[in-house]
Each structure stands twice: as C-alpha cells, then as structure tokens.
Amino acid sequence: MKRQIPLLIVIILGFIFAIHTFVPHKVSADFFDWYQTWIKAISPFMVLLGIMSLTMVHSTKIKRKVPNWQYSVVTLLSLVGTGAVGFIWGTQEGTPFMWLFKNVQMPMGATMFSLLAFYIASAAYKAFRARSAEATVLLVAAMIVMLGQVPIGIKISKWIPEISSWILNVPNLAAKRGIALGVGLGMTATSLKILLGIERTYLGGGD
Amino acid sequence: MAEKKISFYERMQALDRRYIYLVVALAIIIPLLIPFNSKTYVTEPSENIYKKIDSFAGRKDRAVLLSFTHDASTMAELFPMEVSILRHCFERNILVFTICFLPQAKPLMDYALQTAKEGYEVQSGIDYVNFGYKPWAIFVPLLLKMGDDIAEAVETDDEGRIVNNLEIMKEIKNYNEMNLIVDFSGSAAGLRWITYARAKFGANVALGVTAVMAADNYIYLQSGQLTGMLGGLKGAAEYEKLVDVFATHKELDENGILKPAPREFSKEIIKESWIKMSDIKNRQHKTARIGMNAQTVAHIMIIVFIVLGNIGYFVSKRKTEKVS
C-alpha cells in the first residue's frame, strides 16, 4: 500500500492534467481553479519542510562536533536572525532586513559568482592548449567569440562580430538544437513511463 | 651536482596561479575605478526588445511584465538590464508589472524599482504595480491563469491591495494586453514563459540572461519564439545606450532650455551616436557600460593568457622532442 497509493495518485493526476491541457471544457477549467487554490495552500508548507530539514541537518552537525561545525552555527544564526528582522521590521526599503540583504547577501553572492573570472583566467593559461585539431578549432572559436562580445572586437576588424555571431548562430545552434531535441524526446518518454507506472524509481526503495 | 637550468618558457608554464589572480583582479578593478569611453554596438535582439516596449508608450491597454528569477550572485549582469528597462517604461509612460517566484529575488526586485524610480513621479497602482513574491510551486499554474485573467491569478499585490481594484488594471485583462514578458534569470527558468505563455496564449516573451546562459537561448531567437534577448553585461550596456539615445533624448527649445524629446528608434541614429561616460551624471544609468570596460580588459587579458600559455607549451614540446 505504501507504494501503490502514491503510484495511483501520480497516474490519476498525471492523466487528469494531460487531459486538462487539451480539453478546454468548464469541468476541466473548474478543476484547474480548485487545484490552484490547493497548491497555494500547500506551497508554504514546503518552506516549513525546508527550514525543518536545514535545522535538523545543522543542529546534528553542531551536536556531533563534525569538522567545520562552526559554519553550521553561522548558518542557523543567519536563518534565525534574518527571519527575525524580516518578521519584526518588514522587508521594505530602509528596514534592517534590506540592510542585511544589501550589505551581506549581495556582496557574498557577487563574490561567489565573480570567482569564476579568476578560475577561467587561470584555466585558460594552464589548460587551454592547442593539443589537437579539435582543440585548436575550439580555442580559435573561443577567442573570436570573446573578442566579438566586447567593443574592441569591431575596432580590430568589422568581421570579428560577424564571425562571432555566425559561430553562435550556426555551429552552436546546431549542437544546442540537437541536445534540446534529445532532451525533449527523453523527457516525453520518461513522462509516459511514469504515467503508465513503468518507471517507479522516484518512489525510492530500489526496484 | 649542477642544478638543471629552467628556461623562461618552462618557468612561465609553472607560473604560480596567484600571480594570474592578481593580474585578473587589477584588470577588472582599474577599469571600474577609472572608466574610459568605449563605443557600445547595439545588436538586433536588444533592439527588438526596445522597439517592442517602446511601441506601448502612452497606451493604457498595453503593459510589460518583468519577472525576476535570480539571486544576488548574477546581479552584476542582470541588475543594469532591469534598471534600464524600468527607466525606459517610466520615461515613456509604459505600464509595467513586476513579479518574482524566488524569495531571494524579492529584495532585488524592490531595489531595482527603487533605483529606477529616482527622478520620476510614478505611482504604484497607476503607472506600475509590484505583484511581489509568489511561491515557485505556483509559477506554472499562475502563468496559465494569467492567460485568462491577470488580476484573478495574482489576487493581491506586494502592498496587499486587491489587484483588480487598481487603476492600472482598468484596460488590462490578460496576455492580449500584457503583451510582453521579460524574464531575468541566470538559469533556464525563462523557458517556462516560452512553453506556456508563448505557445498557449501567443504572448511575446523576451529574456535577460547572464552571458553563460545566452548561448542556450539563441535557438528560441532564431525560431521566433523569443522577441528579443539581452545577453550578459553586453546586452545590458546595449539597452542602457538605447534608453539614453532615444527614450531620454533631450533637445533645446526656443529659449535654449533642454527639454525631454524622446524619439523613435532608428538604426542610423544608433550607429552614429556616441555618448561620453562623463556626460551621464547618474552612475546607476551607466553601470553596464562601465562594467563593459572591465569586461573588455578581462577578455583581452584572457586571450593574452591563452596565447602565452600556448607559446610556452609549443616551445617546451619542441625542446622535449629535440632531446628525445
């Protein structure tokens, strides 16, 4: 029963939503409205689950004094602190919550993403070698696209942005479209397998 | 025993990466602190978004929806796009809605509105409305429901007001009126708008994405499923320029006073226009173009690194081949 009931829910609701997409009947529209009300009511509980999971994972780490457990203290304090200032003073401009966002969250997020520039430069110097014909093509294409993305590219030659655009629009698109079609077909096949109850691994438990 | 002599190229090959990091840091920081003038060349995907939004100017039966689907990590590339599109809307009296489905995006959305509003007398509920944060789980249901009735789907705005009662909604019902959606993200989140709003309701969809995500979306541009796209800091710089050249254009009147004189988009004007950084007083209005200075230097530096690394590689390879 533990596996059959969830399986039945998935199969029945899966077919209902598939039919809803193609049948614009009033019954179908009313069902969708009813579903929307439910999903709005249910979604806050996902946040609650997330908070519970985060608290349990990090409090266990603190209790067991696992390596770097101090970071877990910072995580939990940040969770409680940010939540508290948001609840007490609100989240509008000029509140402590917004101050925390602008002065802690924003610089930290930007720092994480900006690290990419350092890694890319280092990897370009250390690993990007014309070892084979394929690697040379990749290397030349990368240099043209990089120049085509900045104003100096057109200053060097009016052809650089043109070639850069051709690389992005022709070989890049051919590969991307092939991948997209493959992923699309794969998703359709997997969805059908789930709807028909053939694919059950999402239920867990092995088979 | 005599120590083996290491050649210059071998030493270059084994260069400590901390020196590379130092050069990268300087190449990015110096152009940000001392901006220089560089010409921004506007591409067609950016032009198309500008033209579409501008075609709604002064109309009460047309609106743009801006969807914020990113966190602070991608802010450097996406925030200047958001501010310039909002500025365009406020400057040209275009009705604009904002919404987000990620809690991390909510403060960014508020900050973008706050920044763009400076200098404009726009009122929430009349000129724009912030729908606020809606949970991710209801993204697709809400998106589909907006195809029938936006006010009914969204229910309340960020200030808790009933959306249906707001003045801005008088002539706006669904995607027929809110005919352009611009999603800002560093992921594939924007594709949902293409899959549902575009395919089912024929809404125009445009994307503002980080440079790394831009390559993924060219297929939708080519197929016509996307009206336009702003790709990375370059796209943001292009839009900033479009707003400066056309939407916020000023001309001298008979008394010699500078007066706002917005003009229609023209390929000839944009090709010839040259804006000096020092002429733009508000730094927030030129953030992307200043950032492009840093990006230009960083790209050149990476290319130099690739060339140097390869020279070292080939010289060392030849030496090894000679010895063997």
Side-chain angles (χ1 to χ4, degrees):
Chain A
M1 284 300 270
K2 252 182 162 180
R3 290 172 66 82
Q4 279 144 341
I5 290 173
L7 197 66
L8 269 175
I9 294 172
V10 169
I11 293 170
I12 294 168
L13 286 175
F15 274 108
I16 288 174
F17 281 108
I19 293 164
H20 162 76
T21 312
F22 299 103
V23 182
H25 191 270
K26 194 183 175 301
V27 176
S28 171
D30 288 348
F31 166 76
F32 191 70
D33 283 344
W34 173 81
Y35 157 76
Q36 262 208 322
T37 318
W38 266 98
I39 199 82
K40 277 182 196 166
I42 293 168
S43 55
F45 289 96
M46 293 197 292
V47 179
L48 200 67
L49 263 178
I51 295 170
M52 277 165 62
S53 165
L54 191 84
T55 313
M56 278 159 69
V57 167
H58 288 280
S59 52
T60 314
K61 280 186 179 177
I62 297 166
K63 260 185 228 159
R64 292 185 186 161
K65 292 267 188 312
V66 298
N68 299 322
W69 61 272
Q70 297 88 341
Y71 295 125
S72 296
V73 177
V74 176
T75 306
L76 289 181
L77 284 178
S78 307
L79 175 75
V80 175
T82 314
V85 293
F87 277 117
I88 299 168
W89 291 287
T91 59
Q92 302 305 312
E93 187 67 32
T95 57
F97 177 87
M98 207 56 181
W99 185 91
L100 276 176
F101 184 79
K102 281 184 185 170
N103 297 287
V104 181
Q105 178 84 20
M106 262 164 51
M108 281 198 311
T111 306
M112 288 306 290
F113 203 63
S114 64
L115 287 178
L116 259 182
F118 294 92
Y119 291 134
I120 288 173
S122 168
Y125 183 71
K126 299 261 179 192
F128 211 176
R129 299 280 185 266
R131 287 197 170 91
S132 61
E134 290 89 342
T136 313
V137 171
L138 189 68
L139 201 145
V140 174
M143 294 211 296
I144 293 171
V145 172
M146 271 197 282
L147 282 175
Q149 289 297 103
V150 289
I152 202 165
I154 203 163
K155 293 260 180 219
I156 298 168
S157 163
K158 68 170 183 154
W159 292 105
I160 287 180
E162 297 284 328
I163 302 168
S164 164
S165 161
W166 180 84
I167 292 168
L168 287 169
N169 280 310
V170 183
N172 167 59
L173 283 203
K176 289 279 179 195
R177 194 162 278 140
I179 295 167
L181 286 171
V183 171
L185 288 171
M187 275 168 66
T188 313
T190 311
S191 305
L192 272 174
K193 278 167 78 181
I194 292 172
L195 278 184
L196 299 171
I198 302 164
E199 170 66 54
R200 297 175 187 191
T201 45
Y202 64 90
L203 290 168
D207 60 311
Chain B
M1 207 173 104
E3 223 175 81
K4 195 191 162 197
K5 205 178 171 190
I6 304 170
S7 74
F8 169 75
Y9 292 109
E10 282 168 327
R11 212 175 295 159
M12 284 296 285
Q13 289 281 290
L15 185 71
D16 191 329
R17 63 184 67 222
R18 280 174 295 185
Y19 290 113
I20 300 171
Y21 294 162
L22 182 69
V23 177
V24 176
L26 291 174
I28 292 169
I29 293 167
I30 295 170
L32 287 178
L33 293 177
I34 315 160
F36 55 86
N37 290 308
S38 60
K39 196 165 180 176
T40 303
Y41 294 89
V42 180
T43 55
E44 217 173 299
S46 308
E47 280 174 18
N48 291 343
I49 300 184
Y50 182 87
K51 284 191 279 185
K52 189 76 199 171
I53 294 179
D54 211 59
S55 69
F56 298 168
R59 289 181 69 167
K60 295 288 169 203
D61 61 344
R62 284 290 179 273
V64 183
L65 173 72
L66 305 184
S67 170
F68 296 66
T69 322
H70 66 100
D71 62 9
S73 65
T74 48
M75 197 183 163
E77 286 179 277
L78 303 177
F79 191 72
M81 295 176 191
E82 294 154 0
V83 172
S84 20
I85 291 186
L86 282 166
R87 269 183 71 213
H88 182 192
C89 294
F90 294 153
E91 189 72 42
R92 301 278 285 138
N93 295 320
I94 297 161
L95 304 183
V96 60
F97 303 138
T98 54
I99 196 165
C100 71
F101 297 93
L102 295 176
Q104 311 94 292
K106 171 72 174 61
L108 287 172
M109 184 168 70
D110 294 344
Y111 190 33
L113 272 169
Q114 202 66 34
T115 309
K117 261 164 57 180
E118 274 172 31
Y120 296 102
E121 283 173 15
V122 286
Q123 276 182 284
S124 170
I126 298 170
D127 305 294
Y128 74 94
V129 64
N130 182 1
F131 291 151
Y133 160 69
K134 307 288 170 194
W136 183 260
I138 62 163
F139 186 175
V140 174
L142 192 133
L143 186 160
L144 289 169
K145 186 77 185 163
M146 281 204 279
D148 298 326
D149 193 322
I150 297 161
E152 214 175 275
V154 177
E155 291 178 6
T156 52
D157 75 346
D158 192 41
E159 295 166 47
R161 298 173 296 186
I162 306 285
V163 172
N164 208 19
N165 298 341
L166 300 175
E167 197 185 314
I168 195 171
M169 298 306 293
K170 267 186 183 165
E171 294 179 48
I172 309 287
K173 174 89 174 154
N174 52 36
Y175 291 123
N176 291 335
E177 291 81 31
M178 189 180 72
N179 203 242
L180 179 69
I181 297 122
V182 188
D183 186 273
F184 303 100
S185 71
S187 66
L191 298 186
R192 281 181 170 81
W193 294 105
I194 300 175
T195 313
Y196 300 102
R198 170 82 196 166
K200 200 165 177 189
F201 303 100
N204 290 302
V205 179
L207 297 180
V209 288
T210 50
V212 286
M213 285 307 295
D216 280 0
N217 295 307
Y218 278 93
I219 38 175
Y220 304 106
L221 266 180
Q222 204 183 48
S223 63
Q225 286 162 292
L226 276 182
T227 301
M229 179 172 74
L230 301 178
L233 206 57
K234 185 178 188 290
E238 290 175 12
Y239 210 90
E240 272 183 1
K241 185 178 174 181
L242 284 164
V243 172
D244 279 345
V245 173
F246 300 109
T248 63
H249 178 67
K250 289 185 176 71
E251 270 174 20
L252 290 170
D253 67 1
E254 303 114 23
N255 306 319
I257 301 163
L258 265 179
K259 285 259 170 88
R263 48 187 176 177
E264 292 289 309
F265 173 83
S266 147
K267 270 199 186 293
E268 283 70 40
I269 297 174
I270 197 78
K271 220 174 179 182
E272 298 306 319
S273 56
W274 168 261
I275 301 166
K276 273 170 79 180
M277 286 289 160
S278 51
D279 290 346
I280 308 163
K281 299 288 170 253
N282 191 334
R283 198 181 162 94
Q284 291 282 9
H285 298 169
K286 54 182 175 181
T287 319
R289 279 168 288 181
I290 293 173
M292 278 308 284
N293 289 337
Q295 193 162 304
T296 304
V297 179
H299 278 202
I300 294 168
M301 195 206 58
I302 291 174
I303 290 170
V304 170
F305 276 144
I306 295 174
V307 172
L308 282 178
N310 276 281
I311 292 172
Y313 167 71
F314 281 111
V315 172
S316 309
K317 198 178 159 191
R318 189 175 284 180
K319 267 190 173 176
T320 323
E321 280 168 359
K322 266 185 189 173
V323 171
S324 60

